[in-house]
């Protein structure tokens, strides 16, 4: 099972938080005096900053499209090949997933998407790990990490999803064996406390980004504890495994890579023309470069500065193509 051990380990260390209280109701507006003509209803204010933050989180930081959007795995980098956020399934055994795993349509379509979901249901799925049917989501959905997502960011994500282009596409349904579901069904848990914004300094913001963007999880070490950022794990793809990089300051990790070069690795994917993927070469399929290429330079610099503070860990000896 591709991520079961990793996410079970994360469950032991994930912070248990409480949901924020519902917002207070606004006081009712006073009725106009009888002699005053009725004014036309005021237009509903659109919080453009909140929507932009939600778009940035969905498209880049959380890289929701890396799973929820159809992608062409026969091409370098796995470019998008269908409507954004309209759902995608993994059935190819080469991904080493148990059965059929689908990331559903999360566009506002009422039939196949989230159009009939309430905000509370979306929050439960996003951070608690509980689907609308009450079942625990397959932990390829990183809800254990999204428990660190601040209340403001979680609500911004939902606000953006509500107005994203709707797609009537049926994204498919997962078919997970009962014995596999039994291994992760207890991972879902309610978030019960307010989740604040990270501190404004670069290192704190970088730590936050490294968590919600799943860097620590995907780049875990080969040891039993899955040491964050140590790297070395071979992740399966249809064209062979790709080994995740060491992101610690070790000489065989970030080493002498300076901040500008770190930023450039991401931004290089903005104008990439994907070539055909081939067995035996690094096809860049496990790291969602096509989505992370849109990360703001300030966030990439904060991420780099945080990674420079983690303990240096020696990666295992190279054995396959790197990430």
């Amino acid at each position: 099972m591709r991520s079961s051990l990793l996410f079970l380990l994360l469950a032991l260390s994930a912070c248990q938080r409480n949901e924020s209280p519902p917002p207070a109701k606004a006081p009712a507006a006073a009725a106009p005096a009888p002699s005053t003509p009725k004014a036309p209803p005021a237009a509903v204010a659109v919080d453009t900053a909140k929507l932009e933050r939600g778009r940035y989180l969905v498209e880049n930081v959380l890289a929701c499209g890396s799973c929820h959007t159809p992608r062409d795995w026969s091409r370098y980098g796995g470019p998008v090949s269908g409507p954004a956020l309209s759902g995608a399934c993994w059935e190819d055994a080469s991904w080493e997933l148990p059965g059929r795993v689908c990331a559903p349509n999360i566009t506002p379509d009422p039939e196949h998407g989230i159009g009939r979901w309430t905000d509370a249901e979306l929050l439960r799925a996003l951070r608690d790990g509980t689907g609308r049917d009450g079942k625990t989501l397959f932990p390829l959905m990183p809800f254990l990490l999204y428990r660190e997502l601040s209340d403001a960011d979680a609500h911004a994500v939902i606000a953006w999803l509500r107005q994203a282009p709707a797609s009537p596409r049926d994204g498919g349904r997962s078919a997970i064996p009962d014995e596999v579901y039994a291994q992760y069904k207890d991972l879902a848990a309610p978030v019960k406390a307010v989740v604040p914004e990270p501190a404004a300094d670069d290192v704190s913001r970088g730590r936050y980004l490294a968590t919600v963007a799943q860097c620590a999880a995907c780049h875990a070490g080969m040891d039993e504890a899955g040491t964050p950022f140590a790297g070395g794990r071979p992740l399966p793809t249809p064209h062979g495994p790709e080994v995740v990089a060491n992101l610690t300051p070790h000489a065989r990790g970030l080493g002498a890579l300076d901040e500008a070069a770190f930023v450039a690795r991401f931004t290089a994917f903005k104008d990439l023309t994907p070539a055909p993927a081939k067995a035996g070469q690094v096809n860049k399929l496990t790291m969602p470069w096509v989505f992370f290429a849109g990360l703001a330079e300030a966030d990439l610099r904060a991420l780099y500065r945080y990674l420079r503070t983690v303990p240096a860990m020696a990666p295992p000896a190279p054995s396959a193509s790197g990430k």
Side-chain angles (χ1 to χ4, degrees), residues 24-43:
K25 291 183 179 179
S35 58
T36 306
K38 275 189 177 180

Side-chain angles (χ1 to χ4, degrees), residues 115-222:
R116 296 193 180 110
W117 288 50
T118 66
D119 284 3
E121 289 171 336
L122 288 171
L123 278 172
R124 282 205 315 160
L126 181 65
R127 296 196 303 184
D128 297 359
T130 303
R132 203 181 187 204
D133 59 2
K135 296 185 69 176
T136 301
L137 302 178
F138 183 71
L140 191 63
M141 168 65 178
F143 55 86
L144 291 168
L145 301 175
Y146 289 171
R147 289 173 187 170
E148 297 272 351
L149 198 64
S150 72
D151 291 349
D153 277 351
H155 285 283
V157 164
I158 291 171
W160 173 255
L161 291 178
R162 289 286 188 210
Q163 58 82 67
S167 170
R169 182 174 178 273
D170 184 350
R173 297 292 179 271
S174 296
I176 307 296
D178 291 342
E179 62 271 20
V180 175
Y181 180 71
Q183 295 178 39
Y184 66 82
K185 68 181 179 67
D186 294 330
L187 294 183
V191 175
K192 295 179 179 177
V194 170
V195 186
E197 293 290 290
D201 64 283
D202 280 346
V203 171
S204 296
R205 199 167 87 255
R207 178 201 168 277
Y208 178 74
L209 292 166
T211 300
V212 299
Q214 308 166 57
C215 306
C218 286
H219 288 268
M222 290 290 287

Side-chain angles (χ1 to χ4, degrees), residues 4 27 42 82 112 145 157 159 163 193 199 217 227 240 269 276-278 286 293 319:
S4 58
H112 298 296
L145 301 175
V157 164
Q163 58 82 67
T227 301
F269 275 77
K278 297 178 182 177
T286 57
S319 60

